[in-house]
Amino acid sequence: MTARQDYFCSVYGPVASWRFGSSLGIDPIGLVSTCSFNCAYCQLGEIEQKTEQRRVFITSEQISRDLSAFAPWDVDIVTLSGSGEPTLALNLGEILATVKEITERPVAVLTNSTLLGDAQVRQDLSKADIVAAKIDAVSEAQWRRVNRPVPGLDWQELWWGLRQFRQEWSGKLAIQTMVLASWSPQEQDQYIDLMQQLQPDEIQLNTPTRPRARQRQLETRGNNPLTAADGRQILKPVNAEILAIWAEKIATATGITVRCVPLTATGL
């Protein structure tokens, strides 16, 4: 074990989340950022390990021990996110059950939706109270440009898995969409059509409010801002008025609650 690993804690925060309130973060991935995406806007910076293969990164026992230091868990919610895609954790279901039993708080999972075609992943996620699934694109070309998935992932399979999960699970499903630039009227209509088919409980429109780290920094899991010395890449957010107009258009067309990120937000 290296000196770098000696200081890793799987629990962080609480984070002031514009979506969930005071959120205690659980990182089931660890020091090496690991994801099936390498998003152009990711606050973690360039993903160090790009994969779609599930494995155990952090044991459920370690997460249980790390949680004890944060008692009495005076937060609104516990959120699995952190250093990459949480559904890559092979022990995800066990982690969710452990966290809920220990904290007696609702638990959310932030996922990029890529593994929802896997029945075991859907079963694991069914233990969560809230699942916030990422959808940043309405076409394969846009998806590959914005989310930069690992080779082998399939755009149509992602959508099939998301629809299947929606049919099987009765918990709260939120769709989180990062808007990097103004979408064309055609793209907006395609998005609305997809949301009408999926019927999530809530849509969360986001736009970059934090810089993108050029190199991996553990602190970017939470609210800690990057400084110029950190080697950050500033991302320009979409105009708040444009985002609000689009949110109203989506809500009017679908009847689904749509929330927009406050441009002063720094948390999840």
Side-chain angles (χ1 to χ4, degrees):
M1 180 175 289
T2 67
R4 185 185 178 197
Q5 290 174 317
D6 288 339
Y7 295 96
F8 178 75
C9 180
S10 63
V11 183
Y12 61 97
V15 175
S17 169
W18 68 272
R19 296 180 286 184
F20 303 121
S22 178
S23 170
L24 188 64
I26 302 289
D27 185 346
I29 298 300
L31 278 167
V32 178
S33 61
T34 305
C35 193
S36 49
F37 279 174
N38 185 30
C39 294
Y41 58 81
C42 184
Q43 75 271 11
L44 299 175
E46 183 76 12
I47 295 299
E48 296 170 300
Q49 179 66 41
K50 305 173 186 70
T51 184
E52 59 175 315
Q53 299 301 313
R54 303 185 79 196
R55 67 178 178 87
V56 174
F57 299 87
I58 307 296
T59 66
S60 307
E61 290 76 16
Q62 180 184 338
I63 289 173
S64 178
R65 291 194 302 269
D66 291 343
L67 266 174
S68 65
F70 288 81
W73 310 292
D74 187 19
V75 294
D76 299 311
I77 195 167
V78 180
T79 305
L80 270 70
S81 181
S83 297
E85 172 52 36
T87 62
L88 288 172
L90 194 57
N91 55 338
L92 175 65
E94 189 176 77
I95 292 171
L96 286 169
T98 297
V99 171
K100 291 185 74 170
E101 181 180 1
I102 292 175
T103 67
E104 298 183 341
R105 293 290 185 275
V107 180
V109 179
L110 309 187
T111 176
N112 65 16
S113 310
T114 55
L115 298 185
L116 292 179
D118 184 329
Q120 184 59 56
V121 171
R122 297 195 302 273
Q123 183 176 334
D124 290 345
L125 282 175
S126 69
K127 297 180 174 64
D129 299 290
I130 301 172
V131 172
K134 180 193 301 294
I135 292 294
D136 293 335
V138 293
S139 68
E140 182 162 350
Q142 186 185 28
W143 179 56
R144 296 197 178 280
R145 183 174 67 253
V146 174
N147 298 129
R148 303 189 293 190
V150 299
L153 289 181
D154 183 82
W155 167 248
Q156 295 299 332
E157 184 176 344
L158 180 150
W159 271 102
W160 181 88
L162 186 53
R163 292 190 182 99
Q164 191 70 18
F165 180 64
R166 183 53 168 160
Q167 292 173 12
E168 296 173 357
W169 187 60
S170 59
K172 181 176 179 179
L173 175 65
I175 294 299
Q176 49 176 342
T177 298
M178 180 67 78
V179 185
L180 298 185
S182 297
W183 289 24
S184 69
Q186 181 182 10
E187 289 171 331
Q188 292 183 27
D189 289 343
Q190 287 178 281
Y191 183 88
I192 286 170
D193 180 60
L194 291 169
M195 292 303 106
Q196 286 174 327
Q197 294 177 42
L198 189 63
Q199 286 296 305
D201 297 287
E202 179 177 287
I203 295 170
Q204 301 164 349
L205 292 185
N206 208 346
T207 192
T209 58
R210 293 189 287 181
R212 184 179 191 270
R214 295 189 187 277
Q215 295 183 336
R216 164 70 164 151
Q217 296 175 53
L218 191 62
E219 292 76 10
T220 56
R221 297 183 304 181
N223 286 131
N224 296 331
L226 297 172
T227 66
D230 294 320
R232 60 182 182 173
Q233 176 186 3
I234 302 298
L235 302 173
K236 184 179 180 180
V238 171
N239 180 278
E241 183 178 354
I242 292 175
L243 207 61
I245 291 171
W246 189 26
E248 184 176 0
K249 179 180 178 180
I250 296 168
T252 300
T254 65
I256 299 168
T257 298
V258 184
R259 300 172 61 198
C260 292
V261 59
L263 292 189
T264 56
T266 57
L268 298 172

